Amino acid sequence: MRVRLLDEAGLRDGLALTAVLALLAGGGRIVAPLTVQRVIDAGLAPHTVGPAVAVGAVAVLVAGGSSLLLNRRLQARVETAIAGLRRTGLRRVHEMAASTADRTPAADLVARLTSDLDQTTTFLQGGGVQFVTNTAQLLIAGVIMSVYSWQLAVPVLLLAGVLIAGMAVMQRVIGRRFGHARRDLSELQRAVTESVGGAALIRSTGTEQRARVKLDAAVDRARDSLIRTQPALHGNASLGEITIAAMTVTVLLGGVWWSLAGPGAPRLSSGQVVAMVFLVTFFVRPLQFLVQSLGEAQNALAGWRRARELAGTPSAEIADGRPLPDGPVGVRVEHVSARYGDGPVVLHDVDVTIAPGEHVAVVGRTGSGKSTFAKLLTRRLEPAAGTIRLSGVPLDRLAPTAGRVVILPQDPFLFAGTLDANIRLGRPGATTADVVRIIDRLGLRDWLDALPDGVDTPVGLRGELLSAGERQLAGLARTALADPDLVVFDEATSGIDPATDVAVQAALAVLTRGRTTVSIAHRMVTAENADRVLVFDGGRIVQSGSHAELAARPGRYADLVGAWTRN
Ligand SMILES: Nc1ncnc2c1ncn2[C@@H]1O[C@H](COP(=O)(O)OP(=O)(O)OP(=O)(O)O)[C@@H](O)[C@H]1O
């Protein structure tokens, strides 16, 4: 695990140089007490002071310089590793299997890539890098103490052994508790995001009390989790204080006793006793640091692990998949069933073929399985049984189809920025001139001219400055710019005024011309304009034919047409 951490943080490269810098930084600090010992043992002779000060000064400068270099080196590497983890994590979010993405709340993914990793940075900036220097200092001080007086060094090292063993046990407990705390904090973030995002709905439905109870529960859980990290931390601090004080006392009392020992017994000079007192201080300081920063270190590690877990999610993209053959896509859905997680089967034995270039409208009552069918075609859900082939290639063998298979949702996602920037996302390298051309081709020039700043009109966060119909028009333009070979269009059910609806229908007609299209239709006009209508009911296709054919005979579709006409 630790070895993997070294690799992941990019610390293995140049490990020897890192170790040398750490030894220089840690060892340099220890030279001063040794020079003091020499001066004392020489009877404080003036001629020994000058060289001692010179050696001490050089040592301090070397220690300071090495420490600076080491800090910069480690900080830069670990920050680079964190940035890499963020990038990989984000890529995994985009390549995640649809089933995993469905199960994972967005706020949890955001927390793993932001606040969780921030803990690692905070720890580093708070002196986490000193871990390395301190460990080197601890080792060097321990060795020198043993050389100076093994009689004093043995009890100190034994006490240090007790402390380190105690910390090893505690850190496991502390690590586990911080792991829980980070999970509960991420839950809290999710609850807060939901509550803030849904504030208007909560106010309008008068459900503030219910929302507050849910939020309070998340706040309490996070608080309790954080409190649960404390007893082990306090236990660790107490153990540290007791053993560290015992080490200092041992050296002081033992030193005095040995220095006064009678003839025949091994004697310590006063200089050696003073040096030992300094050395034990150098020995215990890193231990104190380790004790105090154990909590922060475990919190940082817990954050790192959560981010790494996300970065380690297997990509759902098929690396050596077969590319989608060029041209309009033929769709073959063979006896496909679908379910969400362990839930009931919601699509049963769906078997249908869509010819290249055909425009198929999917209709049916709410909950009949239309969206599930669309999710299967666009790989946002894997079939529970059966196979789907696009132009003959089974979906589970197909290479990424970005730009070739495009879903146009009811409410297309728009990033904060201009309309131009959002539409250009459809095709990498597209220019504003391309955007204007595609808007013209879709017959949307009047709409564009009516916007305050034309293509430079800002759309606001998630496109909130545009109407629902305008967002769908922007989505249509973006899709048209992508020039896909299979379009899955989820028609908006509401929020579109009649004029925009006409514009949407006209643009849709241009977009679908010559390309395979599956439209989830909520309006009769969309079904009428399609080559064929598939009628879903209870998760099954119960009718298939042209609008005219199906409307003319009794059945589900005729009922739907009746309902549309009455509306
Ligand atoms: N994410 C999900 N998790 C669990 N069940 C789901 C999920 N999405 C849909 N379902 C269930 O699958 C069934 C089909 O739903 P689907 O969304 O495909 O219907 P639909 O015909 O598109 O309905 P609508 O016209 O209201 O969008 C429904 O019973 C629904 O409750």
Side-chain angles (χ1 to χ4, degrees), residues 386-457:
T387 311
I388 299 175
R389 293 172 204 275
L390 297 189
S391 297
V393 184
L395 278 188
D396 57 5
R397 305 273 305 283
L398 193 61
T401 52
R404 304 276 317 276
V405 176
V406 172
I407 180 152
L408 178 53
Q410 285 199 8
D411 198 1
F413 189 94
L414 298 186
F415 292 96
T418 61
L419 182 65
D420 176 45
N422 272 287
I423 296 177
R424 271 194 286 124
L425 283 176
R427 195 179 74 216
T431 63
T432 301
D434 296 327
V435 169
V436 174
R437 214 171 300 128
I438 211 77
I439 287 179
D440 265 339
R441 193 174 320 143
L442 292 176
L444 300 174
R445 190 65 200 210
D446 289 349
W447 167 61
L448 186 66
D449 290 343
L451 290 173
D453 293 306
V455 283
D456 293 325
T457 301

Side-chain angles (χ1 to χ4, degrees), residues 102 340 346 364-373 375 410 522:
D102 263 1
Y340 291 92
V346 293
R365 285 191 300 209
T366 187
S368 57
K370 305 182 293 294
S371 305
T372 306
F373 181 66
K375 282 182 189 168
Q410 285 199 8
H522 298 284

Side-chain angles (χ1 to χ4, degrees), residues 17-41:
L17 179 58
T18 307
V20 169
L21 287 173
L23 288 175
L24 285 175
R29 296 177 190 163
I30 294 173
V31 173
L34 305 185
T35 58
V36 172
Q37 176 255 318
R38 296 261 165 212
V39 174
I40 293 175
D41 283 352

